[in-house]
């Protein structure tokens, strides 16, 4: 049997792909990250399916469930929050399954940053302002970052930054980014985009309306993205219309 790694999207039950919903409906065993998903996502599972919340399981225990179910000939889905290509531990789990001789495949999902941008109604790339989006995280209680991937190295480009797993260090990170973006640069924090308790906080890197004050007042500790960059402004300075759709190009 095959273990299906399935992107559950940002958490809303209606933001799964059709393929994801089909796999859930057929699965005998479903492993899911309870910390990040709206429970309604599991409504796609068939009655009687075994549901395993992985939020308190380590990788070896998760793998043991996957391998045992597959060897018993059961259909297995391993749900991941967002898309499996980002911070899902897909690499580690797939390596273990391969060593155990268990087949696996991947079904993509809506990434959290896309849901966050949709919620605030913004495009992360704006002509002549920012044409690059950097998806990264910071090091706190998680795996250390490679030395070459410093936040300052990305910030100096002026790209739109999407920071995962960074909400508990917001004040420290804004102090680091102020040198490159300026204290007035817009920042948007999105907590649980697409879920019933979603929350959007807007502020600036520093200045009179620092985003760190708003994050601390809201008591956010997890499940939030921090978006930083001039493209997030209501009217980004220096922006122009896209050449791709210009009347001049289409003459």
């Amino acid at each position: 049997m095959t273990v299906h790694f399935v992107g559950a999207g940002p958490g809303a039950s209606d933001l799964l792909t059709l393929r994801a919903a089909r796999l859930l409906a057929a699965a005998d065993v479903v492993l899911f990250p309870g910390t990040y998903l709206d429970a309604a996502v599991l409504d796609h599972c068939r009655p009687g399916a075994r549901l395993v919340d992985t939020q308190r399981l380590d990788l070896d225990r998760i793998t043991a469930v996957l391998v045992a179910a597959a060897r018993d000939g059961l259909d297995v889905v391993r749900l991941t929050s967002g898309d499996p290509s980002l911070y899902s531990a897909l690499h580690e789990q797939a390596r273990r399954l391969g060593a155990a001789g268990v087949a696996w495949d991947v079904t993509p999902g809506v990434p959290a940053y896309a849901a966050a941008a949709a919620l605030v109604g913004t495009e992360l790339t704006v002509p002549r302002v920012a044409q690059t989006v950097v998806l990264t995280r910071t090091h706190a209680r998680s795996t250390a970052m490679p030395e070459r991937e410093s936040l300052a190295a990305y910030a100096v480009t002026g790209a739109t930054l999407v920071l995962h797993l960074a909400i508990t260090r917001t004040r420290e990170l804004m102090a680091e980014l102020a040198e490159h973006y300026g204290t007035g640069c817009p920042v948007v924090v999105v907590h649980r985009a697409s879920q019933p308790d979603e929350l959007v906080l807007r502020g600036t890197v520093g200045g009179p309306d620092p985003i760190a004050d708003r994050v601390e007042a809201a008591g956010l500790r997890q499940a939030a993205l921090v978006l930083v960059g001039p493209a997030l402004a209501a009217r980004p300075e220096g922006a122009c219309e896209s050449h791709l759709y210009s009347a001049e190009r289409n003459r």
Side-chain angles (χ1 to χ4, degrees):
M1 299 298 292
T2 299
V3 171
H4 305 286
F5 290 94
V6 176
S13 63
D14 59 351
L15 280 180
L16 273 71
T17 65
L18 293 174
R19 182 182 299 177
R22 175 175 56 79
L23 289 171
L24 282 175
D28 301 302
V29 180
V30 177
L31 288 80
F32 66 98
T35 303
Y36 297 104
L37 296 186
D38 181 0
V41 169
L42 300 178
D43 290 344
H44 291 280
C45 300
R46 67 171 181 78
R50 180 188 174 195
L51 306 179
V52 180
D53 189 347
T54 61
Q55 63 179 308
R56 292 184 176 86
L57 301 182
D58 62 31
L59 210 55
D60 287 334
R61 292 172 68 188
I62 291 172
T63 305
V65 174
L66 295 174
V67 171
R71 286 178 175 171
D72 286 343
L74 302 177
D75 288 320
V76 189
V77 166
R78 169 60 168 128
L79 281 175
T80 71
S81 58
D83 181 79
S85 65
L86 289 174
Y87 309 120
S88 68
L90 172 64
H91 168 75
E92 298 97 314
Q93 293 171 84
R95 180 166 50 84
R96 284 169 163 79
L97 292 179
V102 174
W104 56 273
D105 61 22
V106 179
T107 294
V110 175
Y113 79 88
L119 178 60
V120 300
T122 191
E123 186 176 1
L124 303 181
T125 55
V126 176
R128 293 188 181 174
V129 176
Q131 291 289 279
T132 300
V133 178
V134 176
L135 310 176
T136 188
R137 66 171 182 80
T138 62
H139 173 47
R141 291 173 295 176
S142 53
T143 307
M145 292 287 288
E147 291 184 7
R148 64 186 178 277
E149 295 186 19
S150 70
L151 195 57
Y154 299 128
V156 74
T157 68
T160 302
L161 296 184
V162 179
L163 306 179
H164 296 72
L165 307 175
I167 196 65
T168 60
R169 299 181 60 210
T170 303
R171 189 171 297 279
E172 175 187 347
L173 296 174
M174 292 305 108
E176 184 177 348
L177 293 174
E179 176 184 354
H180 305 286
Y181 287 97
T183 58
C185 182
V187 183
V188 179
V189 169
V190 181
H191 172 71
R192 296 191 183 278
S194 82
Q195 299 190 42
D197 57 346
E198 66 186 11
L199 176 67
V200 176
L201 302 176
R202 297 177 185 269
T204 53
V205 168
D209 188 22
I211 193 66
D213 286 356
R214 294 180 178 269
V215 168
E216 291 167 5
L220 299 184
R221 303 293 298 172
Q222 64 178 7
L225 293 181
V226 181
L227 287 69
V228 185
L232 300 173
R235 294 185 176 181
E237 184 177 352
C240 69
E241 295 187 349
S242 172
H243 176 68
L244 179 62
Y245 301 109
S246 68
E248 179 181 337
R249 178 182 180 275
N250 290 289
R251 284 175 183 162

